[in-house]
Amino acid sequence: MQSQSQERTKGAAEQTGRDPIIMAGIASVALSWYYFYVQGDRQKGIFVGLWPPTLMAFASYFRQAEIRSLLQRGPGGVVTRVQEMLEQQ
C-alpha cells in the first residue's frame, strides 16, 4: 500500500513540474536575469522578476477554488473526488 501511495506522490510531483504555470515562472525568472544582468536594465529586470510569485498565487487560488467547489457539492464521496483530482494532476 505504501509503494502505491509513494508512486502516486511521485507521479503528482513529476506532473506538477510540467505545469504550464511553473514553466512560465521559470521562464520569467530567466528573462528577468537576462534584463537585469545582460542588458543592464535593472528596472525591467526587477519588474519581470515580480511575475513568478504573482503567477504562483493565481495558480494556488484557482486550485483552492476547485477543491472548495468539490467539497461543497456534498458529503457523499468527497474523499473519492479529492483523490481523483489529485490523480489527475
Side-chain angles (χ1 to χ4, degrees):
M1 186 90 161
Q2 282 184 340
S3 63
Q4 186 180 18
S5 175
Q6 289 173 347
E7 288 178 20
R8 281 191 217 166
T9 304
K10 184 179 176 183
E14 288 175 355
Q15 190 173 13
T16 301
R18 287 184 247 127
D19 192 10
I21 296 294
I22 302 291
M23 299 305 285
I26 292 169
S28 65
V29 167
L31 184 62
S32 73
W33 287 351
Y34 172 75
Y35 283 137
F36 195 88
Y37 292 112
V38 176
Q39 287 194 344
D41 189 353
R42 293 177 184 251
Q43 190 172 11
K44 190 183 279 188
I46 291 171
F47 175 72
V48 174
L50 294 173
W51 294 353
T54 305
L55 293 171
M56 299 302 153
F58 279 125
S60 175
Y61 170 77
F62 288 121
R63 285 188 181 160
Q64 288 176 9
E66 184 179 352
I67 290 171
R68 186 179 325 129
S69 70
L70 285 173
L71 292 174
Q72 289 177 348
R73 288 185 188 165
V78 171
V79 173
T80 305
R81 287 192 295 253
V82 170
Q83 286 176 343
E84 289 173 356
M85 188 180 77
L86 290 174
E87 287 175 1
Q88 289 175 355
Q89 292 181 349

